[in-house]
Amino acid sequence: MKFFILLFLLGVSWGKTINVSRPGVKYDCAYCQPEQVHISFGDKINDIVVTWSTFNDTQGSFVQFGKGIMDRTVSGTSKLFVDGGLLKRSQYIHTVTLRDLEYDTRYVYHAGSEYGWSEQFSFKTPPQGEDWPVRAAIYGDMGNKNAHSLSYLQDEAQRERFDVILHVGDFAYDMDTDDALVGDEFMRQIQPLAAIVPYMTCPGNHEQMYNFSNYANRFTMPGRDSSLYYSFDLGNVHFVSVSTEVYYFLQYGLKLITNQYEWLEKDLARANLPENRSKRPWIVLFGHRPMYCSDSNDIDCSVEYTRVGIFGLYGLEPLLKKYGVDLVIWAHEHSYERTFPLYDYKVYNGSKEFPYVNPGAPVHIVTGSAGCQEKTDPFKEDPEAWSAFRSNDYGYSRLLARNKTHLYFEQVDVDLKGQVIDSFWLIKEQHKPYNIH
């Protein structure tokens, strides 16, 4: 008897399931309350994926939802995730996909099972088609501690100011820290915005422990290789998420570089088919480590694996030129920096005072100052010739793809109580490959 009591206590403390059900006896589910609820887009933007965690097996995963009242129920799946730390803490991560929802419609929902339900949340599906303005919040490097931007993002999300959130790598600092307790707490912290606005992600260097397992298990992104790279269409924008980390953590396999590169070229080629680019002209690519930056304390501003590849192979910058990528978004540096239209360190056109009209190269953004325990990064004293604006205040970015020819981007400074400190327009009459030789 003492042995079984000890097993039960150990199971509770490590978050493991102790199934004490017997015929005719109701299953005892002591840690079945849903938490860490967040949503993302599925294979289509009117498919919404709901993901959450419990610390015991609930013997079922359900979302009850509807328009105004929760009159529909959809079931899904759960998987046991075991952290790679010494305690091998485990939790069940549940996933339910709400398919073929009506466009431009508000739904209410909660997630769980007969053993416990989350609080009620709501989300609004995007409008149908391409002719509507896309609004995004964008940032990277937000931690469990010192998350300066979180309250501003939560406020804006609850005021329905975003259609999507892009978190460009580095979560929690780190999700595996303290046997993944920090990851759990971070996922609880972002729930007020991530449960109501699709929260789209890419991996950063702080996710690499145990082969990126905390990241890959906690977030559900579209496509077969969702833990590394994927794309999705939203209004007039084709968003592309890549992993820069495949170039840096080679112990996980060189094949990851070639697989992603081949996938990316096919994806961008498909986005450039006339029938696709005419409907959805803006291509926005995001990944964690930047191709260009001018911070003074990080070697990554001089290491160019993402830009030129490994030994000159599989570099991503030539694909940006070949397929006319309009805007490239990075994080990693705990700062904000905007470039002029830029390719291979050469500025093609653009100014600080005027919009970028028909630029001859992509514009790069670094937005990694959302706030974490490592604080912000200093810059080199003199900015590079290609650097148009930079700030190391805490903050986040906002994107508005107004229509097929005008895209607006701005940086919110939370040190200055939400003041916009930088903004620019991208104006393009045609979206096509760049004429760079």
Side-chain angles (χ1 to χ4, degrees):
M1 179 61 73
K2 291 181 179 180
F3 174 74
F4 288 109
I5 291 173
L6 178 60
L7 279 180
F8 177 78
L9 292 174
L10 288 174
V12 169
S13 65
W14 292 348
K16 293 183 178 179
T17 298
I18 303 297
N19 191 340
V20 297
S21 61
R22 300 186 303 276
V25 179
K26 185 177 176 62
Y27 174 52
D28 184 4
C29 201
Y31 291 88
C32 287
Q33 187 64 31
E35 60 173 61
Q36 308 175 40
V37 181
H38 51 289
I39 63 174
S40 58
F41 290 122
D43 292 333
K44 311 187 302 296
I45 62 168
N46 64 328
D47 292 348
I48 294 294
V49 182
V50 185
T51 304
W52 71 95
S53 292
T54 61
F55 290 96
N56 278 170
D57 183 4
T58 60
Q59 300 187 334
S61 308
F62 302 95
V63 170
Q64 295 179 335
F65 73 105
K67 296 182 291 184
I69 58 172
M70 297 184 294
D71 55 357
R72 298 169 61 184
T73 301
V74 175
S75 64
T77 61
S78 67
K79 59 185 176 182
L80 177 64
F81 167 57
V82 181
D83 173 62
L86 290 175
L87 294 184
K88 303 299 180 186
R89 289 184 63 248
S90 65
Q91 60 186 274
Y92 286 83
I93 298 180
H94 306 257
T95 305
V96 173
T97 300
L98 312 180
R99 301 185 189 279
D100 299 317
L101 300 174
E102 295 181 31
Y103 291 98
D104 201 15
T105 300
R106 177 156 298 283
Y107 288 89
V108 295
Y109 77 96
H110 67 186
S113 70
E114 63 175 305
Y115 300 103
W117 294 97
S118 72
E119 62 189 276
Q120 180 176 291
F121 303 102
S122 72
F123 62 84
K124 188 177 182 183
T125 53
Q128 189 171 13
E130 298 81 36
D131 296 323
W132 53 275
V134 176
R135 307 163 303 163
I138 307 172
Y139 53 88
D141 300 80
M142 188 164 72
N144 165 243
K145 298 177 182 177
N146 203 37
H148 280 235
S149 300
L150 184 57
S151 64
Y152 289 83
L153 291 162
Q154 178 180 342
D155 175 64
E156 291 212 71
Q158 292 176 346
R159 292 172 184 262
E160 300 183 23
R161 293 179 178 174
F162 306 132
D163 303 301
V164 64
I165 295 170
L166 308 182
H167 190 142
V168 192
D170 280 6
F171 306 78
Y173 281 74
D174 294 349
M175 286 194 285
D176 63 275
T177 299
D178 293 341
D179 296 286
L181 286 168
V182 169
D184 292 338
E185 184 56 34
F186 176 79
M187 298 304 293
R188 296 182 192 111
Q189 282 178 286
I190 65 169
Q191 179 178 281
L193 60 150
I196 63 175
V197 180
Y199 203 87
M200 310 303 288
T201 63
C202 71
N205 57 295
H206 277 268
E207 282 68 73
Q208 72 88 19
M209 189 64 75
Y210 317 126
N211 195 11
F212 296 85
S213 59
N214 265 276
Y215 169 78
N217 281 277
R218 292 176 186 272
F219 291 105
T220 310
M221 295 297 114
R224 186 183 62 186
D225 295 296
S226 64
S227 64
L228 289 179
Y229 45 85
Y230 62 93
S231 65
F232 65 99
D233 296 325
L234 186 64
N236 49 37
V237 184
H238 180 65
F239 287 102
V240 185
S241 171
V242 298
S243 171
T244 58
E245 304 316 297
V246 298
Y247 292 90
Y248 291 85
F249 296 102
L250 301 181
Q251 67 268 35
Y252 298 129
L254 290 171
K255 190 66 175 174
L256 295 175
I257 297 175
T258 58
N259 286 349
Q260 175 175 257
Y261 184 91
E262 292 167 1
W263 169 86
L264 179 59
E265 179 146 39
K266 289 178 182 178
D267 183 85
L268 292 175
R270 190 181 309 111
N272 273 273
L273 292 173
E275 61 269 28
N276 292 329
R277 194 109 201 219
S278 62
K279 293 189 301 182
R280 196 169 287 106
W282 296 107
I283 299 179
V284 176
L285 182 144
F286 62 101
H288 184 61
R289 300 197 204 209
M291 293 184 184
Y292 299 97
C293 56
S294 62
D295 295 76
S296 62
N297 66 341
D298 198 326
I299 193 173
D300 283 335
C301 286
S302 58
V303 174
E304 300 187 304
Y305 295 151
T306 303
R307 193 175 76 82
V308 302
I310 302 292
F311 305 117
L313 299 174
Y314 303 109
L316 299 184
E317 190 172 36
L319 296 182
L320 307 182
K321 175 187 74 171
K322 183 177 180 179
Y323 295 105
V325 174
D326 301 289
L327 185 65
V328 194
I329 299 169
W330 315 103
H332 189 60
E333 308 303 327
H334 301 167
S335 57
Y336 168 78
E337 187 164 19
R338 167 172 58 92
T339 74
F340 295 115
L342 183 64
Y343 186 81
D344 195 18
Y345 289 96
K346 182 178 179 181
V347 173
Y348 281 81
N349 64 310
S351 73
K352 294 181 181 179
E353 291 79 23
F354 300 102
Y356 295 159
V357 179
N358 297 322
V363 175
H364 292 252
I365 298 290
V366 176
T367 177
S369 59
C372 68
Q373 64 199 47
E374 294 181 357
K375 301 183 179 179
T376 57
D377 291 335
F379 288 106
K380 298 175 183 176
E381 185 174 345
D382 297 318
E384 304 287 348
W386 44 259
S387 182
F389 185 94
R390 58 189 193 170
S391 168
N392 56 12
D393 284 357
Y394 290 107
Y396 58 97
S397 303
R398 293 190 293 228
L399 176 150
L400 171 66
R402 184 68 184 85
N403 51 40
K404 293 181 179 181
T405 58
H406 288 64
L407 184 148
Y408 178 72
F409 197 95
E410 64 186 12
Q411 178 69 5
V412 177
D413 189 320
V414 302
D415 287 351
L416 297 178
K417 308 299 182 184
Q419 178 179 326
V420 174
I421 57 169
D422 182 48
S423 63
F424 69 97
W425 283 94
L426 265 177
I427 300 175
K428 302 188 81 168
E429 296 166 357
Q430 289 185 309
H431 298 261
K432 58 184 182 179
Y434 297 105
N435 186 25
I436 300 171
H437 301 288

